Amino acid sequence: NAVFVLDKEASSKLTRINKPWLVEKIVWTDKLIRKAVLGLALDLKKPILMLTDADYIENGMSDLLADSGPAYDINIKIFNKLQNTITGWPGGKPNAEDTNRPERAEPAKKRVLIFSPHPDDDIISMGGTFMRLQEQGHEVHVAYQTSGNIAVADDEALRFARFVIDYNEKFNIKSEEADNIYQKAQTFLENKKNSEIDIPEVRYIKGLIRKGEARATSHFVGLPDSQIHFMELPFYETGTIEKKPIGPEDIQLTMDLIEKIKPHQIYAAGDLADPHGTHKVCLDAIFEAVKNLKPKPFMNDCWLWLYRGAWQEWGIDEVEMAVPMSPDQVLAKRHGIFKHQSQKDGVVFQGT
């Protein structure tokens, strides 16, 4: 007598949810047609335009043929829809017809705000788009929502603390405080137990390391310091993997930043498979902030795009904007990712 209760996400791989047309008669909405046709093309490893009536019939989609067929017509419709998602102008192409483009043409120069939950999500998940927006002359702001300080190895923190001591020695700077912090950090890290929470000094050093890497990435893309924002949302600062729930302070900080920039485009991380849950909390803060700001006039002209990448990709049928990249651009993005040196050689928390 067991009853299984599943939400939409947990049941997403079940045939009844994933391909309901194989189980029962369904009403074919635009969304379902797109999902079914693209899924069929991927399963059969065929280009969309080469799917035949027989392919549809053999894969449980004969009633779609009856409703909207022949296959030729359905193929062209889906092909055009997919083609219209591809653009080299993520901020909209100026002085161009924009009916079938994912982003509007006006205003030609937009204010853009990219939210990055951890200090490296922007460049990993939407590095190509980030660079395109900057190159095409938009005013791009990037906001790093958390410090990412727990994801730095202990010896890395010690190395940077030691650098400050050597730096001071070299330039004859007398600083008792710096020496004390180094001693305190060294003593703590030498005796640190496995699950022990870092002392604040060590956390701050780790936070500064990631801040420096994030800033280096943004400079690499071409942003000035005035367009790089470190939010350090309070919910994150527990020192453990377990975070606090989102609070009014997190939402207020997010609202203040959006109101200050008055963006035409907001980009936020939509991959909620992040094993530490930080992405989810960051996104909730943005949604809540946007909801509260809705009545403001500048919000009428603000679009929110969700990007994915580090933990989970969009299904092809879910993509609304795809930005193609040349081999040179892929290489540039990779160099941008390499600025995050503390994350490059094996990270502290692997996730699942």
Side-chain angles (χ1 to χ4, degrees):
N1 279 334
V3 175
F4 290 88
V5 181
L6 292 88
D7 67 3
K8 193 163 134 255
E9 283 72 19
S11 61
S12 62
K13 292 277 192 287
L14 294 177
T15 308
R16 172 172 294 283
I17 307 298
N18 197 22
K19 297 180 176 176
W21 52 90
L22 296 177
V23 181
E24 58 195 345
K25 192 154 178 54
I26 58 161
V27 176
W28 285 99
T29 60
D30 279 354
K31 203 172 170 183
L32 270 176
I33 294 173
R34 187 170 162 161
K35 185 178 163 82
V37 174
L38 289 169
L40 184 61
L42 287 167
D43 286 347
L44 299 179
K45 297 187 170 48
K46 268 186 164 183
I48 298 168
L49 294 178
M50 289 178 72
L51 295 172
T52 62
D53 284 7
D55 292 331
Y56 279 74
I57 291 163
E58 283 161 19
N59 289 279
M61 291 157 64
S62 48
D63 51 340
L64 173 59
L65 272 185
D67 289 351
S68 321
Y72 179 82
D73 293 348
I74 304 171
N75 294 348
I76 284 187
K77 190 173 144 197
I78 298 300
F79 177 81
N80 288 340
K81 277 197 169 144
L82 194 61
Q83 199 176 27
N84 291 339
T85 64
I86 301 170
T87 178
W89 300 83
K93 188 171 186 179
N95 311 318
E97 218 280 309
D98 60 5
T99 321
N100 290 326
R101 289 181 171 276
E103 191 39 272
R104 66 232 130 124
E106 296 301 319
K109 296 281 178 264
K110 295 182 173 63
R111 284 185 302 280
V112 178
L113 174 55
I114 297 171
F115 280 109
S116 181
H118 297 101
D120 53 5
D121 286 310
D122 54 342
I123 192 76
I124 290 175
S125 303
M126 58 168 288
T129 307
F130 187 2
M131 289 175 182
R132 228 47 0 96
L133 289 162
Q134 172 65 16
E135 283 161 15
Q136 288 162 4
H138 301 286
E139 182 191 314
V140 183
H141 293 259
V142 62
Y144 297 104
Q145 291 170 281
T146 68
S147 63
N149 58 16
I150 64 165
V152 177
D154 293 343
D155 54 351
E156 196 82 351
L158 213 52
R159 182 165 75 91
F160 273 80
R162 179 77 233 180
F163 173 81
V164 176
I165 303 293
D166 294 345
Y167 180 93
N168 288 349
E169 262 175 32
K170 193 72 183 165
F171 296 106
N172 291 323
I173 301 166
K174 298 273 180 283
S175 171
E176 211 177 305
E177 289 93 338
D179 296 343
N180 290 343
I181 289 168
Y182 175 68
Q183 288 305 330
K184 193 171 173 185
Q186 190 182 24
T187 313
F188 169 76
L189 291 173
E190 277 170 1
N191 304 303
K192 183 178 168 182
K193 297 189 178 55
N194 246 349
S195 55
E196 203 172 340
I197 296 176
D198 285 336
I199 53 172
E201 287 84 350
V202 172
R203 281 221 308 277
Y204 296 151
I205 294 170
K206 289 180 174 182
L208 286 172
I209 292 171
R210 297 216 60 185
K211 198 172 181 175
E213 292 170 348
R215 191 179 279 119
T217 301
S218 294
H219 287 168
F220 174 74
V221 173
L223 264 54
D225 277 334
S226 58
Q227 282 158 234
I228 306 169
H229 310 275
F230 294 98
M231 299 175 74
E232 298 189 355
L233 294 179
F235 84 88
Y236 184 87
E237 301 301 323
T238 59
T240 66
I241 298 183
E242 198 63 42
K243 305 292 179 279
K244 284 190 293 217
I246 181 175
E249 208 181 335
D250 302 302
I251 295 163
Q252 194 55 50
L253 283 166
T254 311
M255 280 169 64
D256 294 345
L257 185 62
I258 296 173
E259 204 162 358
K260 185 174 124 192
I261 294 165
K262 298 188 170 50
H264 300 101
Q265 276 190 328
I266 293 174
Y267 288 89
D271 48 350
L272 303 182
D274 159 32
H276 315 130
T278 304
H279 286 207
K280 169 94 171 77
V281 185
C282 287
L283 191 62
D284 288 345
I286 294 167
F287 280 162
E288 200 55 44
V290 167
K291 198 168 91 187
N292 294 345
L293 289 169
K294 267 279 169 60
K296 306 267 169 143
F298 76 87
M299 286 301 285
N300 293 333
D301 207 20
C302 176
W303 289 18
L304 173 64
W305 288 95
L306 298 181
Y307 63 82
R308 275 190 187 173
W311 297 103
Q312 176 189 22
E313 295 287 359
W314 290 113
I316 293 180
D317 58 291
E318 299 171 304
V319 172
E320 289 175 1
M321 173 158 69
V323 182
M325 292 162 73
S326 71
D328 288 354
Q329 289 166 341
V330 173
L331 204 60
K333 167 174 168 165
R334 201 170 293 166
H335 286 312
I337 293 174
F338 281 163
K339 300 283 179 207
H340 291 275
Q341 293 176 344
S342 67
Q343 304 300 297
K344 206 165 80 209
D345 307 317
V347 289
V348 184
F349 300 110
Q350 285 290 5
T352 46

